[in-house]
Amino acid sequence: MDTAALSSYEWGIMTPEFIILGVATLMSLLDLFAPARFDRRNIGWIGVAGVLLAMISLAGLFDAEVTTILHDTFRLDSFGKAFKLLLLGGSALVLILAISDDTREGLEEYRGEFYYLFLTALLGAMVMASSGDLITLFVGLELLSLSSYVLAGIRKRNLQSNEAAMKYIINGSISSAITLFGLSYVYGLTGSTNLLEIAAVAGTVADSKMVYLLGLAFFMTFIGLSFKIASAPFHMWAPDVYQGAPTPVTAFLSVVSKTAGFVLMTRVFLMIFVRIPTEGTGSMPFFYQIQDYIGFLAGATMIVGNVVALRQRNVKRLFAYSSIAHAGYLLVVFTTLQFMFNTLWFYLAAYLFMNLCAFAIIQLVTNGKGSEDISLFAGLYRKSPFLAVAMGVAVLSLAGFPGTAGFIGKVNIFMGALVDQPAHYVLASIMIAATVVSYVYYFGIMTQMFFRPADEKHGEKIHIPVGVGVVIVICVIGTLVLGVAPDTAYDFIDSQFKNFSDFFQ
């Protein structure tokens, strides 16, 4: 490729990615050459500034039309812009949590590495959100995954962290291999790695044998990506990784990484498999024929996540199973495909606020205690009313209580299951039952905070760093605003992203 061709590309659409790449490079050089006495927290603040700058540059691209560069491997569309906004916003909040950590998590020795590995993972997620090609998608996926493996095991001298990293690497490698195997079938059958070109070929398939092989490719890809989003029965790595990883890393995996996983599933399934006819051109698309199978997986994920969470005493394992259950709720969206983009974006935004709020408080309550037992929350209202009320808001939202963002998100998914024709009554019933079951362990945390006396051993008041306090306030406000006035989010989507109408352009 000559210089003229390179200069002809509209590189401006990659400004957010270039900013994250440049800041990550700068942070790695600072960590390498700065003296040992230099406080590595300052590197983290550079990372926060870089993420905020990337968000500003992304906002400047909101009015841009659909643009593709590098032979359509990178595309700027409403879908990419909307979900990159979530990725950047969540990452900024997680970075502030990591900076405000008082080093009892064992990060003090590797704090510099944490920050630029974190931005590298974010870069991979952003590339996935704007990918227009299978190769770009997989490169972004592996950039996110490899960085996440290291982050999970960054406490080298902690056995639980070592175990978390090992299980994450093994399961992640297997899932990546299965995903790549499925995508290789797609390439072999269509002769292209470009998503739009694959979609064009898949929509005109007339050979039943080719449909069968594309169906096999779908199931292999779906299984591989199910590992990434921790849906049952491919979820067993998540509780151990969530427990063993430092709390900021756990927050990142539960929010940013999960969002990236659903972004990847949406790109692949809607742009490729939703157009494949079952038996020749003109018949019902293959994707609609297998809705029941996806629905079964969604139901199993909701049931397993919520039921197993009932027996958890470790609060991070409890929230790991809660995360699994929420993956099940989101899979209902893929089953019905009703109001998909708006519902998916809103629920992931709500999940970002309520889950990050919970993990920020978990970090404060468990720090330095040598334990993560749920009993540490006993008497929290007396020790810190602010933290108890904020945790109450987050828990109520996760449970889907009216007046919170979680409630609106679940209602949208539930209505989508009923509006779809034929209606998914069984799946909607499972969703209601699973939500009711979740009240038991969510309200168990509420009981500890408001109705149990504080343990004398851990009865001291909790110091709230300014950064963590800011994160908690932002998350509580976001949770309540999206719950009380959800139209603000939907109006924002409609005005800025045009209901994602350019997804297939």
Side-chain angles (χ1 to χ4, degrees), residues 381-408:
Y381 181 72
R382 294 175 180 83
K383 292 186 288 184
S384 178
F386 168 72
L387 290 183
V389 171
M391 188 68 171
V393 171
V395 166
L396 289 175
S397 185
L398 286 164
F401 203 76
T404 62
F407 172 76
I408 301 298

Side-chain angles (χ1 to χ4, degrees), residues 333-355:
V333 181
F334 283 87
T335 305
T336 62
L337 298 181
Q338 293 293 322
F339 331 117
M340 181 169 183
F341 294 118
N342 289 1
T343 302
L344 189 65
W345 190 91
F346 184 93
Y347 198 91
L348 287 171
Y351 188 70
L352 184 154
F353 286 126
M354 56 194 181
N355 223 40

Side-chain angles (χ1 to χ4, degrees), residues 1-9:
M1 184 178 295
D2 57 26
T3 306
L6 285 174
S7 61
S8 66
Y9 290 135

